[in-house]
Amino acid sequence: MIGDARADGLRAVLHAAVDDVSVVAPVERIVAAGRRRARRRRVAQVLVTVAVVVAVAVLVPVGLGIRRAELATPPGCAAVIAPAVLPAWARAGFTDPEPVMPYVLSDHGRIAAILFANPPTAPPAPDRQNKILWVVPEFGGTGPLTITATLGSTTATRTVADGPGPSIVDLPEPGCWELRLEWAGGSDTMGLRYGP
Amino acid sequence: MAADDDYRRFVAERYGPLVRAAVLLGAAPADAEDAAQDALTRCYVSWARVRGADDPEAYAYRVLVNGLRRGWRRRWRGEVPHAEPPEPAAGADHEGASLQRTAVQAALGRLRPDHRQVVVLRFFADLSESRTAAVLGVPAGTVKSRTSRALALLAADPALAGELPAVRKEPS
């Protein structure tokens, strides 16, 4: 067949065209180069693995940390509030110039709850009232302090008639209550734990 | 190591054909050596897989063609493949061979790259249609049609006049 002859002829032509390309295989050089390339690839794989491990080791805790922070217990829901020096604006009425009391600062720092029962309890202890002194940095208005307390599906509202100041706040049951506090000129939220 | 010995044998056997194939694919001789060395070096990295493959030769050609296709030329970072360049063949034979190579390269150069690859793999490397298809990553039917077209073009190429039997006029 003409096609076969053409193919055979082409084979012969191609081989003849490069028969004079004289080559000696540098076998050992190629082996050495192959080893170097294989080594580089292994190193690259190790580096990639290390990078992935480092990334996971760094990013996962960061992610978990963020989540943990989001889920963190509000300061006021600690089992016991550690006494600390009151902020300067909350010291009025105390004889000690740097009074140390257990207190909870609201989420945005607009109001402080100074606890005389630590923690307050539900129901109130027979020998101790749930006295809370509410203090705001500046209160020049009039009107009550309204406390809307939420625990799960339970909501309770308490009112301090004269606004931020001394109060007895009893809540229906123990737990970490979320308080919404509203007074003339401001509002804020805080978590506050009532013990059993 | 047995694997290295196998690899050495493979390099010794395949280096020359790979260099010559690279020349026919359009690389200058020095670049063709680089390309062959690069292809074989890559084979070393995957030698376990190459050795276990059905067709190590086709694998090497595939790496070679891909390297040339990318236009990437392996440099040896200052290393010289040979301590001394091989002596060229002397006299008229060498001249004749060079002329023939020039004519063949000219004819191959007028083909489309994919036709040229098929020609070199089918008629220089003597790969079957299916092996050529595997090397190029195309269907066997594509190889067949490219082969047919390329053969016709080469047969009609004046640079190969008198070289291919099919160049002779068929009886009308």
Side-chain angles (χ1 to χ4, degrees), chain B residues 73-141:
Chain B
R73 298 290 184 271
R74 177 83 167 89
R75 297 297 176 197
W76 279 83
R77 295 185 174 84
E79 293 179 22
V80 181
H82 300 284
E84 295 175 8
E87 288 295 322
D93 283 352
H94 173 64
E95 220 167 85
S98 292
L99 287 172
Q100 186 174 36
R101 186 164 74 220
T102 304
V104 171
Q105 290 284 30
L108 291 175
R110 282 187 276 275
L111 296 178
R112 279 173 25 185
D114 51 356
H115 286 171
R116 184 174 189 162
Q117 288 163 0
V118 164
V119 166
V120 173
L121 293 172
R122 292 281 285 113
F123 301 110
F124 174 76
D126 279 330
L127 300 185
S128 65
E129 276 178 2
S130 59
R131 293 173 77 198
T132 302
V135 169
L136 297 177
V138 298

Side-chain angles (χ1 to χ4, degrees), chain B residues 12 16 35 47 50 84 86 90 95 125-126 144 157 169:
Chain B
W47 183 240
V50 176
E84 295 175 8
E95 220 167 85
D126 279 330
K144 192 182 181 85
D157 195 296
K169 294 284 183 191

Side-chain angles (χ1 to χ4, degrees), chain A residues 37-74:
Chain A
R37 184 186 284 270
R39 199 161 43 240
R40 281 199 299 273
R41 175 181 275 201
R42 279 197 299 274
V43 169
Q45 285 170 340
V46 167
L47 289 177
V48 167
T49 305
V50 167
V52 168
V53 168
V54 168
V56 169
V58 169
L59 294 179
V60 168
V62 167
L64 290 177
I66 290 168
R67 183 147 179 76
R68 209 175 286 129
E70 286 170 354
L71 299 174
T73 305

